[in-house]
Amino acid sequence: MNIQDVILGLLSKQPYSGYEIKRHFEEYFSFFFDASFGTIYPTLSKMEGLKLITKESIKQEGKPDKNVYTITSAGSEKFRFYLHSPADKEVLRSDFFMHLYFGDMADEGAMEALLRRTLEEKQHMYEDLNQKLEQLDPTMTPYQKLCMELGIVQCEAFIQKIQSVLKSTD
């Protein structure tokens, strides 16, 4: 999976501006796929050059023009190919896990602080996912709902394990 595939998937449903695409990443994909404006806009430009999408500039009063992107038939074909291909092996790059792995080289206070900070972040993500699932549930497809539910299950397991480790050190 790459960012082009994700953007093509979004545009398969309807045209979006770059800002709307970024917002979708933040609202729906934040627990498993991250993309910044610095990644999204160059990717949109490249995709336009590859004729996978088209761009329409819409005038806005008192604001810069709004660029709205639409998938082309070549983009639709590329996305269909992606959907029918086997899923890539998951690759996890986690700074937290690297700190944890080498934690025996740090002092206990630093590692406890790392665990507590990460626990707080995961708890926030867990609450956020639950809230989004509750708000979006009627509009989600069964697979979108499953995606969110799996994210919640992962957060729960992570939270439980970190809490048990912190309790054992108290």
Side-chain angles (χ1 to χ4, degrees), residues 59-103:
K59 298 269 185 219
Q60 300 186 106
E61 198 168 311
K63 296 179 187 176
D65 291 353
K66 177 180 179 178
N67 294 322
V68 176
Y69 299 90
T70 304
I71 194 168
T72 63
S73 58
S76 292
E77 186 177 320
K78 184 178 184 316
F79 185 65
R80 270 192 306 282
F81 179 79
Y82 162 74
L83 281 179
H84 291 93
S85 301
D88 291 341
K89 179 183 176 225
E90 278 193 53
V91 177
L92 175 64
R93 292 180 55 167
S94 168
D95 192 42
F96 168 74
F97 283 125
M98 284 295 101
H99 276 80
L100 200 58
Y101 187 84
F102 295 112

Side-chain angles (χ1 to χ4, degrees), residues 2-169:
N2 64 47
I3 191 166
Q4 284 188 17
D5 297 325
V6 179
I7 291 172
L8 290 172
L10 288 173
L11 296 178
S12 291
K13 301 231 178 221
Q14 68 183 62
Y16 284 109
S17 69
Y19 173 78
E20 291 166 330
I21 290 170
K22 172 65 173 150
R23 198 175 73 222
H24 211 90
F25 273 90
E26 291 170 350
E27 291 181 11
Y28 299 96
F29 307 148
S30 63
F31 72 97
F32 65 93
F33 198 107
D34 188 34
S36 65
F37 281 122
T39 303
I40 292 170
Y41 283 108
T43 302
L44 288 168
S45 254
K46 182 178 179 180
M47 292 170 70
E48 187 180 9
L50 293 169
K51 308 277 192 248
L52 299 173
I53 61 173
T54 59
K55 174 176 73 177
E56 178 187 1
S57 291
I58 299 172
K59 298 269 185 219
Q60 300 186 106
E61 198 168 311
K63 296 179 187 176
D65 291 353
K66 177 180 179 178
N67 294 322
V68 176
Y69 299 90
T70 304
I71 194 168
T72 63
S73 58
S76 292
E77 186 177 320
K78 184 178 184 316
F79 185 65
R80 270 192 306 282
F81 179 79
Y82 162 74
L83 281 179
H84 291 93
S85 301
D88 291 341
K89 179 183 176 225
E90 278 193 53
V91 177
L92 175 64
R93 292 180 55 167
S94 168
D95 192 42
F96 168 74
F97 283 125
M98 284 295 101
H99 276 80
L100 200 58
Y101 187 84
F102 295 112
D104 62 323
M105 295 180 217
D107 63 70
E108 287 296 317
M111 292 309 295
E112 184 176 334
L114 173 69
L115 291 173
R116 290 190 187 284
R117 240 185 349 268
T118 304
L119 176 61
E120 190 176 304
E121 290 168 6
K122 284 292 183 184
Q123 286 170 326
H124 177 72
M125 183 183 286
Y126 174 79
E127 291 164 9
D128 188 48
L129 284 171
N130 271 305
Q131 182 183 27
K132 286 176 183 170
L133 182 61
E134 201 173 287
Q135 290 170 345
L136 301 171
D137 187 76
T139 64
M140 296 177 91
T141 68
Y143 293 114
Q144 289 170 337
K145 187 175 178 183
L146 176 61
C147 183
M148 297 289 277
E149 289 169 341
L150 288 171
I152 289 167
V153 168
Q154 285 181 333
C155 283
E156 285 174 336
F158 197 99
I159 289 166
Q160 288 172 2
K161 184 61 182 175
I162 297 294
Q163 285 174 334
S164 74
V165 168
L166 287 170
K167 281 180 187 170
S168 71
T169 61

